[in-house]
Amino acid sequence: METLKRDRSPLGGAIALLICGVLAGVLAAAAAFPLVGLAGMMTENSVDSFESLPTELTQPTLPQTSYVYASDGETLITSFYEENRREVTLDEVSPLMIDALLAAEDSKFYEHNGVDWAGIIRAAVANQGGDSQGASTLTMQFVRNTLIYSASTIDEVIAASEDTYDRKLREARYSLAVEESMSKEDILEGYLNVIYLGNQAYGVHAGSYTYFNKPPADLTLAEAATLASLPKFPSYADGLLDGEGDDSKIVERRDWVLDRMAGLGTITQDEADEAKEQPLGLNPRAQRSECVDVATANWGFFCDYFKEWWGNQEAFGADERERLSLLKRGGFKIVTSLDPELQDKASEKLADRVDVDDPATLGSVTITPGTGHIRAMAVNRVYSLDQSDNGPRTDGKDEPSNYPNTTVPLLSGNDELAGYPAGSTFKMFTMLAALDEGWPLETRIPSPARYTSHYMAVPGEGDTAYCGSTNADGEKAWCPSNDGNWSAGPMNMWGMFGRSSNTAFVQLQELVGTSKAYEAAVAAGIDFHPDSAVEQNKERGTLDDYGTFTLGFDATTPLEMAEAYATVAAGGKHCEPLPALQVVNAEGEEWTDVTEPVCDQAFPEEVANAAVSAGRCVVGQSAEGTQCSGNTAASYASDFGRPLFGKTGTADSNRSYWFIASTPNATTATFVGDTDATYRSNVATNDLKDAVKASGISILKSAVKDLEEEGWSKPTSDMVNGKNLVSIPSIGCMDPDEARSRVANAGFEASIAPGRFDSDCEEGQAFSTSVTGSAPSGSPVYILVSNGSGHKDDEEKDEEDETPAGPGGDD
């Protein structure tokens, strides 16, 4: 654009500086007050020296809108603003827009030095005759609006806008000083960015998009004249964007602007007449504001998490309030990690399986291992504040439920929502702790239908999960059982994890300690709610007495489960969930530090790869280095076509159900539960369990379809067979104390297990150990004592020996 010029002689400027202290007060006051009052004002404040310019005028910092985009950098998710604004340079604005504004607001902008004396006198005379005319130059408007928008208190707003002599005098003085310190180009540019154009649009950029959905450089003559008609009369546009209101006033004002432009010679009369024949042609862009006004209602849950993340970043301010204020005022362009195509597919898949009007919450989170980038947060709900027509709550409370509309962070949780009981997905953390402590994949543990554990507690009335005699404290042993009461002989970790043996994993937790399993969960990314049972036991120092941890009685969120399993998928590298790829401020500077993944090595890579190997059994992938003997989700993953591992999990009493599945470059955590009543039993029906597994695999397929296929290294020999292990002595129908002594002498922490177990030995005899084969030196090993259920005396054995075999021999 050609440089804009003005007439500024040194002599003229000097004279202005000498006399304007008087003239500004007299003439500005004349426009606002009756002429009869001039005599009084001539005697005070009329020859004051020029006040120094405040920094908000010399270095104005106006609030600007921040725009939040999906990962493609183009799909607008929402915007955050106190005022809908983005600053532009003169080169970004059509010359027609500049000419139209000057014609409408200040045709002598290049002739005056900030104050239009002749205009003020005309306005004063007209006002005395009953007319109402203004006399503010474009410079004076720039000063007034900038002071208003830079104000931080209500008193400052009043001082900048009140209709008084002092304000007009100060405004005139500032305008003269602004003209001496700023070029006409800078003043005009500042004005273009500060004017209010109605409908919460501040500046020509916001106005151009608000009314015509195009950048200000592309405005036509008619569109430019329409915008130029609004600074004095922004109310003319009220209701027009909603298809309501009367457009006659704005058309009349637009046509006046066009005639003014023709009269000033910036356009021809023919051009003006042609433009006046055109309709307003409003084409408003839907302005999305924060998370309740996102492009797709289901995206609100991701937006909500993004806003929470922003509020926690120290780089954006000293506290949450300051950080969110920066988001609303800073004019940022933010490219998030949200994959819009994956988000839409996942949302559609979940809503197809479980309707939004169903009280069961079906949700899924997809995260990228090794970076923590959140690609999708989908759920069968609508993110909305309007909950007036929601269904009845399942917990009976007299307040809105969460379906179909809610703003509760169903997938990421908050102080009120801890999440949903995790079920057997927590077995991963017990296994990680065991592998990290030196227990190899070949560790073999019996899997009885029911197991009398070492964990003691006072059972509730009718509680069948406890058995045996009651001790002096009223406690009984916790006795978990396998789902369906199946049993099996000693199983290695592949079999234990693939078949999800409750009784074997409780024994494994006894071997490593609940505190170690808890530490593994925290290292992987689980952040337990302070009121959870596990945190309460930790606070009391009784964590290793807490037995139900490995069966997932505690709550977690889908985001945390995706985060934790992504840690395993990434070779033990844990990364905090990250919703942003790029943050660019209003000056075009990229804030790379805040979008850098925050990661640490939570587990050795060989430990993570060994856990992956066991997890591949769950989905029926017997890859090299695995020894699978069972699965819980193979039929759903049979045609996946890529290296995959995962884990299913049923919470006690079917309160929730989970399926976490992962490739090396995408992890998806899918679940079903009841957000209103997370304790409610029988939420996870067989149909909903099927929906969780089918949806989880389908979403993961969509997540990886454009990604390169990757795999994992097979587990090392040390992770399979162990390193520097010590053989556990065999025990066979002997005195329990003698057995304990034998095991202790071999270098283990030996003790007698509570309860009695089925065996062929006589009742009261030791018959085996809790873990067989070999184990790390110093490990806890329990002596199992027989209940005599399978014992037969010599006479019974003789009778069996004499019984002839049936036809065909032994089976």
Side-chain angles (χ1 to χ4, degrees):
M1 174 181 287
E2 182 181 350
T3 303
L4 301 173
K5 299 180 180 179
R6 67 185 179 93
D7 179 16
R8 177 189 287 174
S9 70
L11 179 59
I15 292 173
L17 288 173
L18 289 172
I19 68 172
C20 286
V22 175
L23 292 178
V26 173
L27 297 176
F33 299 97
L35 292 174
V36 295
L38 290 179
M41 287 183 284
M42 288 287 291
T43 62
E44 55 179 325
N45 295 326
S46 57
V47 290
D48 292 346
S49 62
F50 281 96
E51 301 172 58
S52 60
L53 284 173
T55 56
E56 51 264 42
L57 287 175
T58 57
Q59 300 175 359
T61 303
L62 304 177
Q64 299 188 65
T65 301
S66 293
Y67 294 98
V68 181
Y69 297 89
S71 59
D72 57 13
E74 298 178 356
T75 302
L76 181 64
I77 296 175
T78 192
S79 58
F80 291 85
Y81 59 84
E82 290 178 353
E83 297 171 354
N84 180 16
R85 181 202 311 278
R86 189 176 84 77
E87 293 190 49
V88 292
T89 64
L90 290 179
D91 289 338
E92 296 176 278
V93 180
S94 167
L96 292 172
M97 183 72 245
I98 296 173
D99 289 340
L101 279 169
L102 291 176
E105 298 297 319
D106 191 353
S107 61
K108 295 183 178 181
F109 175 65
Y110 295 108
E111 300 172 14
H112 61 65
N113 284 341
V115 180
D116 181 4
W117 311 117
I120 289 177
I121 293 173
R122 281 197 310 272
V125 173
N127 292 344
Q128 293 301 309
D131 291 339
S132 178
Q133 291 188 16
S136 293
T137 64
L138 185 148
T139 307
M140 294 172 72
Q141 293 183 52
F142 164 68
V143 167
R144 183 187 316 130
N145 287 323
T146 301
L147 291 177
I148 290 172
Y149 299 139
S150 301
S152 58
T153 68
I154 189 63
D155 290 339
E156 291 176 358
V157 173
I158 293 172
S161 59
E162 61 184 347
D163 193 11
T164 65
Y165 156 72
D166 286 339
R167 192 271 293 174
K168 287 185 176 290
L169 176 59
R170 182 172 60 252
E171 190 175 287
R173 287 173 169 170
Y174 281 159
S175 297
L176 291 166
V178 162
E179 291 270 349
E180 290 300 318
S181 61
M182 296 173 64
S183 69
K184 284 290 188 180
E185 292 91 337
D186 289 340
I187 296 170
L188 180 57
E189 187 174 287
Y191 172 77
L192 290 171
N193 286 308
V194 79
I195 50 173
Y196 178 57
L197 298 172
N199 287 293
Q200 295 302 308
Y202 291 82
V204 295
H205 180 274
S208 184
Y209 274 101
T210 295
Y211 295 103
F212 301 108
N213 197 20
K214 62 171 61 175
D218 296 342
L219 291 168
T220 67
L221 174 58
E223 292 167 346
T226 300
L227 290 184
S229 70
L230 293 174
K232 274 192 174 67
F233 305 102
S235 62
Y236 283 2
D238 289 350
L240 294 181
L241 299 186
D242 298 325
E244 301 176 358
D246 181 5
D247 65 3
S248 60
K249 288 185 177 181
I250 196 171
V251 169
E252 181 180 350
R253 175 71 176 172
R254 178 201 69 176
D255 293 349
W256 177 86
V257 173
L258 290 167
D259 286 336
R260 281 280 295 164
M261 295 175 71
L264 293 168
T266 55
I267 61 173
T268 68
Q269 189 61 52
D270 287 343
E271 289 173 326
D273 293 340
E274 182 181 351
K276 287 191 291 183
E277 292 298 320
Q278 298 179 24
L280 283 181
L282 299 180
N283 178 32
R285 175 173 72 177
Q287 184 60 47
R288 309 199 181 283
S289 175
E290 300 202 7
C291 300
V292 294
D293 192 21
V294 292
T296 301
N298 186 268
W299 295 15
F301 299 99
F302 174 87
C303 174
D304 185 80
Y305 181 76
F306 161 78
K307 185 178 178 182
E308 178 189 354
W309 170 82
W310 184 284
N312 288 328
Q313 301 306 304
E314 294 182 0
F316 297 136
D319 53 33
E320 182 181 27
R321 180 180 179 182
E322 186 174 313
R323 296 161 195 163
L324 293 179
S325 177
L326 178 65
L327 176 62
K328 295 178 181 181
R329 297 171 59 89
F332 290 93
K333 176 185 177 181
I334 301 150
V335 179
T336 70
S337 57
L338 182 72
D339 182 334
E341 182 179 355
L342 178 62
Q343 176 73 19
D344 288 345
K345 286 183 177 179
S347 300
E348 181 180 351
K349 185 70 177 178
L350 297 172
D352 284 347
R353 294 303 302 249
V354 180
D355 191 79
V356 296
D357 288 316
D358 194 307
T361 305
L362 179 65
S364 184
V365 173
T366 302
I367 201 168
T368 301
T371 65
H373 288 130
I374 304 169
R375 294 181 58 195
M377 295 180 72
V379 65
N380 64 329
R381 293 291 183 267
V382 178
Y383 192 89
S384 173
L385 292 169
D386 182 9
Q387 294 154 33
S388 57
D389 293 327
N390 277 16
R393 288 184 66 97
T394 54
D395 60 3
K397 292 182 179 178
D398 186 20
E399 56 188 72
S401 69
N402 81 89
Y403 66 96
N405 297 343
T406 187
T407 56
V408 174
L410 305 175
L411 302 171
S412 55
N414 59 12
D415 291 341
E416 286 74 38
L417 178 64
Y420 313 86
S424 292
T425 58
F426 269 26
K427 290 172 181 172
M428 171 62 78
F429 309 127
T430 303
M431 182 168 63
L432 284 167
L435 292 167
D436 201 28
E437 288 290 303
W439 293 91
L441 287 165
E442 273 289 6
T443 299
R444 294 182 178 270
I445 298 175
S447 182
R450 194 179 197 199
Y451 173 65
T452 303
S453 76
H454 304 164
Y455 301 111
M456 307 292 289
V458 177
E461 184 177 352
D463 195 336
T464 60
Y466 292 84
C467 61
S469 57
T470 302
N471 64 18
D473 296 323
E475 299 174 327
K476 287 187 174 184
W478 178 51
C479 304
S481 58
N482 288 329
D483 185 27
N485 291 317
W486 63 271
S487 62
M491 306 173 67
N492 58 27
M493 288 192 198
W494 288 292
M496 291 163 53
F497 200 73
R499 295 189 65 181
S500 197
S501 170
N502 292 339
T503 57
F505 262 95
V506 169
Q507 293 174 74
L508 185 63
Q509 180 179 274
E510 289 174 337
L511 294 176
V512 299
T514 306
S515 57
K516 293 291 185 181
Y518 167 84
E519 290 168 5
V522 172
I526 304 299
D527 186 13
F528 292 99
H529 195 276
D531 293 335
S532 64
V534 66
E535 286 293 341
Q536 293 299 311
N537 274 277
K538 181 175 180 289
E539 184 71 20
R540 293 192 298 266
T542 57
L543 192 53
D544 281 322
D545 297 327
Y546 180 57
T548 61
F549 178 82
T550 197
L551 301 190
F553 278 49
D554 293 286
T556 186
T557 67
L559 179 60
E560 288 182 351
M561 289 308 297
E563 173 188 352
Y565 273 65
T567 298
V568 181
K573 180 181 179 181
H574 167 252
C575 298
E576 296 288 340
L578 182 60
L581 299 176
Q582 185 183 49
V583 174
V584 180
N585 67 13
E587 288 74 40
E589 301 167 337
E590 185 172 354
W591 291 22
T592 56
D593 289 349
V594 295
T595 56
E596 187 71 24
V598 179
C599 305
D600 64 277
Q601 195 67 32
F603 308 101
E605 184 175 2
E606 62 176 7
V607 168
N609 285 341
V612 166
S613 181
R616 298 189 73 172
C617 293
V618 173
V619 294
Q621 291 191 353
S622 296
E624 182 182 6
T626 66
Q627 300 178 29
C628 301
S629 61
N631 67 80
T632 58
S635 61
Y636 295 86
S638 58
D639 62 345
F640 190 78
R642 291 184 180 222
L644 175 73
F645 83 96
K647 184 71 184 78
T648 57
T650 308
D652 63 303
S653 302
N654 288 309
R655 292 187 294 155
S656 63
Y657 185 78
W658 299 76
F659 179 47
I660 298 101
S662 184
T663 68
N665 45 19
T667 303
T668 296
T670 308
F671 86 107
V672 69
D674 185 345
T675 306
D676 285 346
T678 58
Y679 56 81
R680 184 163 68 91
S681 299
N682 300 317
V683 175
T685 63
N686 288 334
D687 285 344
L688 289 180
K689 291 178 181 180
D690 175 75
V692 168
K693 287 181 280 195
S695 299
I697 285 292
S698 177
I699 293 169
L700 189 57
K701 278 185 178 179
S702 297
V704 301
K705 70 180 181 65
D706 294 326
L707 304 179
E708 291 186 8
E709 181 175 327
E710 299 179 18
W712 296 277
S713 300
K714 68 178 184 180
T716 63
S717 176
D718 286 346
M719 298 309 300
V720 172
N721 300 305
K723 184 179 181 181
N724 301 322
L725 300 181
V726 177
S727 295
I728 301 172
S730 59
I731 303 297
C733 298
M734 60 191 302
D735 179 76
D737 288 330
E738 182 182 346
R740 179 175 56 185
S741 178
R742 178 184 294 186
V743 173
N745 290 336
F748 298 100
E749 183 182 317
S751 58
I752 298 175
R756 300 294 172 95
F757 304 86
D758 294 344
S759 85
D760 293 339
C761 295
E762 293 182 22
E763 182 179 1
Q765 288 185 327
F767 67 92
S768 186
T769 51
S770 57
V771 59
T772 59
S774 55
S777 179
S779 298
V781 176
Y782 301 99
I783 311 301
L784 305 182
V785 178
S786 175
N787 60 13
S789 62
H791 176 69
K792 297 175 182 177
D793 56 28
D794 292 339
E795 183 176 338
E796 290 175 313
K797 289 180 181 178
D798 290 341
E799 291 179 356
E800 287 184 355
D801 290 342
E802 295 174 359
T803 302
D810 295 332
D811 291 333

